[in-house]
Amino acid sequence: MTDEPAEPSAEPPEEKPAEPVPSPEEIAGELDAAADEQQAERRYPSTIGGAFYLVVLALAAIGIALVWGGEWRIGIQCLAAGLCFAAVTRLVLPAKDAGMLAVRNRLFDATLLAGAGIAIFFLLTTIPNQPS
């Protein structure tokens, strides 16, 4: 046994052939094809339900701003009204147009939203005014 270093092999390691780099036109074509594929998967536009959902969000934001500003009764009424509006909207619109308001069955969604809105409004009216 000798302590001689092993001789490096005379053959260079095999290199994989370099893949051609795609041109910007090829990349743009692939991105357009991917976008077309995503558009084909979407079966319907949900702009009507999206608009109503934005109205519900706006009512909630206004209600929270009013509560923060000190007008808590009016703010909570605004929140309850937003939930009741969402319930009516969900009940009236078909599932394909309801957008983000559609989570489960139409009747279940409307019942849950209306129940929460009515419960909040009921609790609001049962709290007595406190002297300042």
Side-chain angles (χ1 to χ4, degrees):
M1 280 201 209
T2 61
D3 291 334
E4 294 179 22
E7 291 183 25
S9 68
E11 297 178 18
E14 291 185 32
E15 294 182 15
K16 294 182 182 178
E19 293 183 24
V21 177
S23 68
E25 292 81 19
E26 291 173 335
I27 294 172
E30 288 179 18
L31 291 174
D32 288 340
D36 291 341
E37 221 174 90
Q38 287 177 348
Q39 289 294 335
E41 290 176 13
R42 187 172 184 181
R43 288 181 262 150
Y44 50 83
S46 57
T47 56
I48 295 170
F52 286 126
Y53 184 70
L54 290 176
V55 169
V56 172
L57 286 179
L59 284 171
I62 291 168
I64 290 171
L66 287 170
V67 168
W68 194 329
E71 297 291 332
W72 70 272
R73 283 192 187 271
I74 297 172
I76 298 299
Q77 283 178 349
C78 193
L79 283 171
L83 286 171
C84 291
F85 175 75
V88 170
T89 303
R90 176 64 181 112
L91 198 57
V92 171
L93 290 177
K96 70 178 186 122
D97 291 332
M100 296 281 291
L101 293 173
V103 178
R104 293 178 180 84
N105 182 312
R106 179 190 302 194
L107 187 60
F108 181 80
D109 286 343
T111 302
L112 190 65
L113 288 165
I118 291 169
I120 289 173
F121 189 73
F122 174 75
L123 290 172
L124 171 71
T125 57
T126 58
I127 297 173
N129 286 332
Q130 302 291 324
S132 304

